Amino acid sequence: MTENAQQQPSAPHTELPTQYAPADVEGPLYERWVERGYFEADAKSDKPPYTVVIPPPNVTGSLHLGHAFEHTLIDALTRRKRMQGFETLWQPGMDHAGIATQNVVERELGKEGKSRHDLGREAFVERVWQWKGESGGQISGQMRRLGDGVAWSRERFTMDEGLSQAVQTIFKRLYDDELIYRAERIINWCPRCLTAISDIEVEYQDDDGELVSMKYGEGDDTIVVATTRAETMLGDTAVAVHPDDERYKHLVGKEIRLPLTDRSIPVVADTHVDPEFGTGAVKVTPAHDPNDFEIGQRHNLPSLTIMDEHAVITAHGPFQGLDRLEARSAIVAALRAEGRIVAEKRPYAHSVGHCSRCKTTIEPRLSMQWWVKVGPLAKAAGDAVRDGRVKIHPQEMEKRYFDWVDNLHDWCISRQLWWGHRIPVWYGPNGEVVCVGPDDEAPTGEGWRQDTDVLDTWFSSGLWPFSTLGWPEQTESLAKFYPNSVLVTGYDILFFWVARMMMFGLYAMDGTPPFHTIALHGMVRDQFGKKMSKSFGNAVNPLDWMDKYGSDALRFTLARGANPGVDVPIGEDWVQGSRNFANKIWNATRFALMNGATVDGPLPDAEKMSATDRWILSRLNSVVAEVDALYEDFQFAKLSDALFHFAWDEVFDWYVELSKTTFMAGGEPAEVSKRVLGEVLDVTLKLLHPIVPFVTETLWTTLTGGESVVVAQWPTDSGFRDTAAEKEIESLQSVITEVRRFRADQGLQPGQRVPARLTLDGTPFAAHEAAVRQLLRLQPEGEDFSATATLPVAGATVALDLSGTIDVAAERKRLAKDLAAAEKEKAQAVAKLGNEAFLAKAPDNVVDKIRTRLAKADEDIARIQSQLERLPQA
């Protein structure tokens, strides 16, 4: 630390305003950082690289608390690494968000009385680009408000020209390697958005529905099945039972009549069926259920599609043309009329998938789609973690990762949308299929047409760690900044985005994983631990809190709650508390500047320092080492807490206060302490900067005269420790704390002066008498001094003359009343706990409360008796 101080210019000691006003500081500071290019990254630099990509927010979005939380953590990591001398790249950009963006623009068209089909595909896509240009950059401005130190010149968009080339390149390679194919499979279908959607876009919730048990077949060949989707029985092509189920062995291989139709269906034996669940028999609808589809494949069953893309019944018969929900009740009524309803249970709560965009109930649907064969890709993604090339933090999240990648199903990548990367496949007039790479010419001529589908948004965002660096071109940026150093993201997309990036990165980059470490964080929740949602009425716009308390206050609150992989509760009063911390830093630095704190020259020799000076420098180095270790372990909550308590408790509340008498006395000891205080503030502001960048920038540049703390050198542990000084100040703190507690117990006002005799000789802190008297408001003893209370603490003795300061008789009377109440409380608790009949009947929580009351009563009795003993005799 001493070397750092020697390199700094002399501080100008500009006077700070009396109060910190974040709104006046944050905007201009951020623009100055950007203009000076502090956040840019040079691929030609010989500094070691440190790379983090932003999890690309949707272009439709705005900054919510989840973004603010994640961005705070990434910004803290990258600011620290920049100060440590790394060539640091925080890569910004946005995702085109296929379904979400198309829905937004379609709603805008709806206000004009138009649909996308009125415009046609080309004009609609042009309209989306226009919307993106006008409205899609909102989140960039909000990132600036938060202080995100991203390389804005490198900002990318998943639909820009370079990333589109990357998408087409990897599609072609996967296709040529037979890892992309087209097939008819069951997918999640949204009848409102009219597209297949990924698993992550399905939200499951318990809905009240109905469970209907119905009888198939006739006479001895009847069998009962149950379903929550009665309408799908029109597409049944079998009934399945377990091969070992004796109840149905006589039916396996037989055909039974399917009610309401003119069809008969077979009874098949399949181990998928649980004989202990329900009747042990299940209806099989291969075209409308993923498990049934697998059964159908194993038994060569036909797949009958009985609904169109709008979830309207298409099966021939009286139900044709009905919506699926209308058909459900109509079919149950028709089965009831035939006497085939065995049981009905409603309401019947069961988990139902909904489209995350429009909340429509998802319909499993057999559809011709494009798929990625994930087997070899997923194995590589699992191996990279197992062999240590990629570390998941916290480590206990590894199991969830392996559970996913080891059991990954082939990935449906096609979407029936117009906004997105169009699938680069052309179909010829004679059944030809041609996949076109970015350097290939698309086939032309009569009868050739391109596939109308676009790719799943996760396909392009899966390329993010390398496509943003110029891949497939072998750019300087790719060579310098790939693989990324760490990925910071929520555990909720571990399976979807993270797994996709792992698969694609390993495939495209010759076995080099996209990042060294995956650091997973939890979700932001309200102060009661409840999920934040507009429907719950507890959603918060982070801009409101930043406007009210400053960006630093929000950032510090979020970081202080960030334990790895654990959800983060947050309430407005916590942000207010962080604002108070920022004000405390401001006021303490202002005091230090007014009292001559300096960073000029090297630190004085330890022999010239007081024990207080040596103590704070020893603690400072310990905190530097502790913070560094916690950063490397992504323990943001612990490092924030360590900095909070060091800055507030040790520097501001103890060191500054203990040094005031030294400053007032003047001379060489004061000059030494001024230099020590300057050093402590210099280092503390640097340590705090990555989390609270705005207030620390203002204070550090004022204190040191340096260019910017953004590019200042990160503090290092000099190794200086002084355990003797630490023990001495700890003892001194014990004396001061104990006397303060005694004063408060006796009802003395904080500023009330009391005559006292201090016996500090023979203790390790005899030199601190002036500071002790100043902090405890103890005036010198007079000729008529009478020691009415004596406190032996930590080897010292503090004798106080309380005569004339308190009404001893009244205080004894008050304490006696409190003691009687505490003894009565104890007696009642002891009586209940000694009553065997009561203990036998009372619930455990009631007994625990009584035990707690007893312990509290014992504490109160001991405290009051101690106060009475210390009171002077009346």
Side-chain angles (χ1 to χ4, degrees):
M1 288 184 295
T2 303
E3 292 178 3
N4 294 356
Q6 288 177 313
Q7 296 168 3
Q8 293 169 353
S10 176
H13 287 196
T14 305
E15 186 175 342
L16 289 167
T18 56
Q19 290 184 323
Y20 176 50
D24 298 337
V25 170
E26 294 173 354
L29 265 188
Y30 188 84
E31 291 310 314
R32 191 182 314 153
W33 291 334
V34 173
E35 288 167 7
R36 292 179 177 178
Y38 291 153
F39 304 141
E40 296 303 323
D42 182 4
K44 293 182 170 62
S45 167
D46 57 2
K47 296 178 182 178
Y50 187 81
T51 316
V52 187
V53 293
I54 195 171
N58 288 353
V59 69
T60 58
S62 60
L63 193 73
H64 56 64
L65 271 179
H67 287 123
F69 173 54
E70 187 167 77
H71 291 200
T72 294
L73 304 187
I74 301 174
D75 198 41
L77 290 173
T78 52
R79 283 180 182 269
R80 171 175 173 262
K81 285 296 183 181
R82 190 177 293 112
M83 295 172 73
Q84 287 182 315
F86 286 78
E87 193 63 35
T88 303
L89 169 61
W90 183 8
Q91 173 67 53
M94 287 182 287
D95 193 286
H96 66 278
I99 295 177
T101 305
Q102 179 155 320
N103 280 348
V104 168
V105 178
E106 285 198 82
R107 281 197 297 270
E108 293 296 315
L109 284 174
K111 295 175 184 176
E112 303 170 14
K114 298 178 182 177
S115 73
R116 60 181 164 124
H117 300 285
D118 294 324
L119 271 66
R121 183 169 192 144
E122 187 174 335
F124 176 77
V125 171
E126 186 177 334
R127 178 71 176 262
V128 180
W129 276 107
Q130 179 185 342
W131 174 89
K132 189 261 181 185
E134 295 171 356
S135 308
Q138 178 183 358
I139 203 164
S140 297
Q142 294 166 332
M143 288 167 60
R144 291 170 183 264
R145 282 290 313 278
L146 190 64
D148 287 3
V150 299
W152 286 112
S153 68
R154 292 172 172 267
E155 186 174 13
R156 304 303 298 268
F157 180 56
T158 51
M159 285 282 286
D160 68 26
E161 184 177 352
L163 271 66
S164 295
Q165 182 183 19
V167 167
Q168 198 171 353
T169 298
I170 202 162
F171 187 100
K172 170 70 171 172
R173 291 188 186 179
L174 289 165
Y175 181 87
D176 290 346
D177 287 343
E178 298 183 349
L179 293 172
I180 281 183
Y181 64 95
R182 193 168 183 243
E184 194 173 42
R185 299 274 184 84
I186 293 283
I187 45 89
N188 301 308
W189 180 264
C190 177
R192 157 62 183 78
C193 297
L194 298 180
T195 181
I197 64 174
S198 66
D199 291 339
I200 197 173
E201 292 162 322
V202 179
E203 294 179 348
Y204 288 91
Q205 65 186 48
D206 283 343
D207 288 356
D208 282 339
E210 60 180 354
L211 180 65
V212 178
S213 297
M214 47 197 181
K215 183 170 58 176
Y216 287 8
E218 306 290 348
D220 293 338
D221 292 344
T222 59
I223 195 166
V224 176
V225 297
T227 183
T228 57
R229 301 163 65 216
E231 69 279 7
T232 62
M233 60 88 59
L234 299 175
D236 286 358
T237 56
V239 170
V241 297
H242 193 276
D244 298 331
D245 195 330
E246 294 293 336
R247 294 171 295 176
Y248 302 116
K249 281 199 170 181
H250 69 289
L251 288 177
V252 174
K254 286 189 175 182
E255 299 256 336
I256 59 173
R257 179 172 172 260
L258 180 66
L260 307 183
T261 71
D262 57 0
R263 294 190 292 116
S264 292
I265 58 176
V267 177
V268 299
D270 196 282
T271 54
H272 170 75
V273 180
D274 180 1
E276 302 298 323
F277 184 77
T279 64
V282 296
K283 56 190 288 299
V284 181
T285 320
H288 294 278
D289 183 275
N291 293 322
D292 293 3
F293 177 79
E294 297 296 332
I295 294 174
Q297 293 288 297
R298 287 193 288 272
H299 297 277
N300 296 315
L301 300 174
S303 296
L304 302 181
T305 300
I306 54 124
M307 291 182 220
D308 66 13
E309 64 270 23
H310 298 279
V312 171
I313 300 298
T314 57
H316 183 71
F319 310 107
Q320 188 173 10
L322 294 180
D323 173 80
R324 57 183 165 168
L325 299 181
E326 296 172 333
R328 182 175 301 171
S329 57
I331 286 171
V332 170
L335 289 168
R336 191 183 297 113
E338 285 193 5
R340 290 189 172 273
I341 299 296
V342 175
E344 296 179 72
K345 184 178 181 180
R346 62 170 71 87
Y348 177 74
H350 62 123
S351 182
V352 177
H354 297 260
C355 175
S356 62
R357 304 299 178 190
C358 67
K359 311 308 176 187
T360 302
T361 300
I362 291 302
E363 191 63 44
R365 185 168 189 257
L366 187 63
S367 179
M368 182 66 76
Q369 302 285 344
W370 285 94
W371 304 81
V372 172
K373 186 186 295 183
V374 299
L377 303 175
K379 182 182 183 303
D383 290 345
V385 174
R386 286 189 170 95
D387 63 26
R389 282 176 290 157
V390 178
K391 297 187 183 302
I392 294 179
H393 187 87
Q395 191 173 0
E396 54 265 28
M397 288 285 183
E398 282 186 3
K399 182 180 184 303
R400 297 179 66 179
Y401 176 79
F402 292 136
D403 286 347
W404 179 258
V405 297
D406 293 348
N407 299 285
L408 202 55
H409 297 293
D410 284 2
W411 171 21
C412 176
I413 56 172
S414 46
R415 300 290 180 266
Q416 290 64 57
L417 304 170
W418 287 356
W419 173 244
H421 295 101
R422 195 163 174 182
I423 288 177
V425 171
W426 270 254
Y427 304 106
N430 299 311
E432 302 96 332
V433 179
V434 175
C435 180
V436 176
D439 299 324
D440 300 332
E441 290 289 335
T444 57
E446 187 175 349
W448 283 93
R449 59 182 178 84
Q450 186 177 358
D451 196 300
T452 57
D453 288 352
V454 300
L455 287 164
D456 178 12
T457 298
W458 296 100
F459 190 94
S460 51
S461 61
L463 314 181
W464 193 247
F466 51 93
S467 64
T468 52
L469 298 173
W471 187 91
E473 301 299 323
Q474 298 304 306
T475 63
E476 286 183 321
S477 290
L478 188 64
K480 177 74 173 180
F481 297 113
Y482 187 92
N484 294 180
S485 305
V486 61
L487 173 74
V488 180
T489 192
Y491 63 70
D492 58 324
I493 55 174
L494 172 64
F495 311 136
F496 305 102
W497 187 47
V498 178
R500 309 268 189 262
M501 288 189 289
M502 286 286 283
M503 290 191 296
F504 281 165
L506 289 159
Y507 174 80
M509 300 301 292
D510 299 321
T512 302
F515 18 73
H516 297 302
T517 302
I518 301 166
L520 298 170
H521 59 72
M523 305 294 103
V524 177
R525 297 183 178 273
D526 71 12
Q527 59 189 316
F528 305 108
K530 190 175 182 180
K531 179 181 177 181
M532 284 193 172
S533 166
K534 290 181 181 178
S535 60
F536 294 156
N538 63 350
V540 174
N541 182 346
L543 292 177
D544 293 341
W545 283 352
M546 286 192 279
D547 289 341
K548 195 170 182 179
Y549 303 110
S551 298
D552 286 332
L554 176 63
R555 289 171 61 117
F556 192 74
T557 304
L558 291 166
R560 204 173 178 193
N563 290 298
V566 179
D567 289 346
V568 183
I570 184 172
E572 184 170 1
D573 55 336
W574 303 344
V575 185
Q576 185 175 351
S578 295
R579 187 271 312 272
N580 296 343
F581 179 51
N583 290 341
K584 184 79 170 181
I585 302 169
W586 183 273
N587 293 333
T589 306
R590 186 169 177 270
F591 166 85
L593 290 170
M594 292 171 63
N595 283 274
T598 179
V599 296
D600 292 345
L603 281 171
D605 294 335
E607 292 76 19
K608 294 182 178 181
M609 296 181 190
S610 68
T612 309
D613 295 332
R614 297 195 306 276
W615 160 71
I616 197 64
L617 288 176
S618 182
R619 287 292 306 126
L620 179 66
N621 276 286
S622 295
V623 169
V624 169
E626 180 183 7
V627 167
D628 273 334
L630 291 170
Y631 259 117
E632 295 304 316
D633 199 34
F634 305 100
Q635 297 283 356
F636 295 98
K638 290 182 179 178
L639 72 89
S640 299
D641 212 47
L643 287 170
F644 174 87
H645 287 294
F646 175 71
W648 192 309
D649 300 343
E650 299 186 77
V651 179
F652 306 149
D653 280 357
W654 281 110
Y655 181 71
V656 168
E657 293 300 318
L658 289 170
S659 300
K660 283 182 178 178
T661 54
T662 306
F663 292 153
M664 288 188 290
E668 185 178 7
E671 295 306 311
V672 170
S673 290
K674 289 175 184 178
R675 177 66 189 88
V676 170
L677 178 55
E679 177 77 4
V680 171
L681 285 174
D682 172 21
V683 174
T684 302
L685 291 170
K686 287 176 180 176
L687 292 174
L688 284 166
H689 173 73
I691 299 173
V692 285
F694 294 108
V695 67
T696 51
E697 171 80 340
T698 305
L699 295 175
W700 187 85
T701 52
T702 304
L703 172 71
T704 68
E707 177 188 345
S708 171
V709 71
V710 176
V711 291
Q713 187 174 343
W714 181 255
T716 56
D717 176 8
S718 70
F720 176 79
R721 299 290 191 280
D722 192 324
T723 55
E726 289 194 34
K727 288 180 180 179
E728 181 173 334
I729 300 305
E730 285 172 8
S731 298
L732 182 63
Q733 290 170 331
S734 297
V735 172
I736 294 171
T737 300
E738 184 61 26
V739 176
R740 280 175 172 167
R741 183 182 299 117
F742 176 77
R743 287 178 57 110
D745 287 344
Q746 305 310 316
L748 295 176
Q749 295 300 314
Q752 187 173 354
R753 292 198 169 271
V754 178
R757 177 186 298 139
L758 306 183
T759 307
L760 302 174
D761 294 338
T763 68
F765 43 83
H768 301 290
E769 179 168 350
V772 171
R773 289 189 177 278
Q774 174 67 24
L775 290 173
L776 292 175
R777 304 296 188 265
L778 303 179
Q779 66 190 39
E781 57 189 287
E783 291 182 5
D784 56 350
F785 178 82
S786 175
T788 58
T790 302
L791 304 176
V793 187
T797 303
V798 181
L800 303 173
D801 183 355
L802 300 180
S803 58
T805 60
I806 60 172
D807 184 337
V808 176
E811 185 65 11
R812 281 190 176 279
K813 186 176 180 181
R814 181 185 71 81
L815 289 173
K817 183 179 178 181
D818 291 347
L819 181 60
E823 288 173 337
K824 181 180 178 181
E825 176 75 5
K826 177 178 180 177
Q828 290 175 341
V830 168
K832 285 189 175 181
L833 293 173
N835 186 333
E836 295 296 334
F838 169 78
L839 292 177
K841 294 179 181 179
D844 290 344
N845 64 320
V846 172
V847 176
D848 288 341
K849 285 182 180 179
I850 294 171
R851 289 195 177 111
T852 301
R853 283 167 50 193
L854 176 59
K856 176 67 165 55
D858 281 334
E859 289 176 8
D860 289 343
I861 290 169
R863 175 179 54 80
I864 296 167
Q865 287 175 337
S866 175
Q867 289 176 243
L868 283 166
E869 289 170 3
R870 289 175 171 181
L871 273 177
Q873 296 302 313

